[in-house]
Amino acid sequence: MNNELEHKFVTELENNQNIVHKVCSLYTTNREAHNDLFQEITIQLWKAYPKFRGESKFSTWMYRVALNTAITLYRKSKRSIKTQDFDSVIFRIKTDEYDATEEQQLQLMYKAVRQLGDIEKALVFLYLEDKDYREISETLGISEVNARVKMNRVKNKLRTILNP
């Protein structure tokens, strides 16, 4: 690849790297696994970049590649050893008037989302990223109607998990 293409890719990746970090946080439970997944997603993005035609926004394409990579690796690693969560450390903010309520609610939500299937996780993630159903459907490769139906089912599933 030429330097111009490489420079453009690196710039786009740097501008949108939070997308990859968020996907990694959704599918991993410790820093090492997060870093490994980040690296794997970056490799897959680089390999696929020459085929990116700009028919969608770079970020939409990036969501799709990142989620597909995470889902593929998540499915392969189902038989791996469970690792210790680092979520309890991630959201800790030191202040004099620290209220743990929001952190606890966030932890419960992450725990509930981790119980969902891999596609359901991706759907919740995109929904929480304020993506509309058109962009969710493009990213996940499903129809808009299917995205809405699946989201309603996932919301009900999360209600059941959070309020048994």
Side-chain angles (χ1 to χ4, degrees):
M1 283 195 220
N2 63 32
N3 286 339
E4 184 180 326
L5 190 64
E6 185 177 329
H7 177 72
K8 192 173 179 185
F9 172 78
V10 169
T11 301
E12 289 283 11
L13 180 62
E14 285 174 351
N15 291 339
N16 294 283
Q17 68 178 307
N18 282 342
I19 292 170
V20 179
H21 283 296
K22 289 175 185 177
V23 170
C24 291
S25 294
L26 190 62
Y27 286 90
T28 62
T29 57
N30 67 54
R31 183 67 60 200
E32 186 177 318
H34 180 105
N35 291 340
D36 288 347
L37 182 56
F38 187 92
Q39 183 176 3
E40 186 59 34
I41 289 171
T42 303
I43 290 167
Q44 295 307 317
L45 286 166
W46 176 244
K47 285 180 179 177
Y49 189 66
K51 297 173 190 150
F52 174 63
R53 296 182 303 271
E55 293 172 359
S56 64
K57 292 191 297 187
F58 181 84
S59 60
T60 301
W61 172 79
M62 193 174 190
Y63 275 115
R64 184 175 208 144
V65 172
L67 286 167
N68 285 337
T69 302
I71 289 168
T72 300
L73 291 175
Y74 174 78
R75 287 179 176 165
K76 286 179 184 175
S77 71
K78 283 270 187 177
R79 57 191 173 273
S80 70
I81 300 167
K82 285 287 181 193
T83 54
Q84 183 179 359
D85 285 353
F86 68 91
D87 291 338
S88 58
V89 178
I90 285 183
F91 299 104
R92 188 151 317 265
I93 300 169
K94 293 190 179 208
T95 66
D96 294 334
E97 301 169 23
Y98 179 71
D99 179 8
T101 308
E102 186 176 336
E103 179 182 337
Q104 290 166 350
Q105 289 173 339
L106 202 51
Q107 294 303 324
L108 287 173
M109 179 58 97
Y110 266 95
K111 188 175 180 182
V113 169
R114 283 200 180 100
Q115 294 177 43
L116 299 174
D118 42 16
I119 300 298
E120 293 170 326
K121 283 182 192 176
L123 190 62
V124 168
F125 170 68
L126 293 169
Y127 183 81
L128 293 174
E129 287 287 296
D130 288 328
K131 301 300 174 192
D132 60 28
Y133 284 108
R134 182 192 51 74
E135 194 166 353
I136 290 172
S137 69
E138 286 176 14
T139 303
L140 297 180
I142 59 177
S143 72
E144 238 180 282
V145 171
N146 196 358
R148 288 178 191 278
V149 169
K150 283 182 180 289
M151 192 64 224
N152 282 328
R153 289 181 183 152
V154 168
K155 285 177 183 177
N156 288 332
K157 203 171 185 179
L158 284 172
R159 276 190 205 98
T160 303
I161 292 170
L162 292 168
N163 304 307

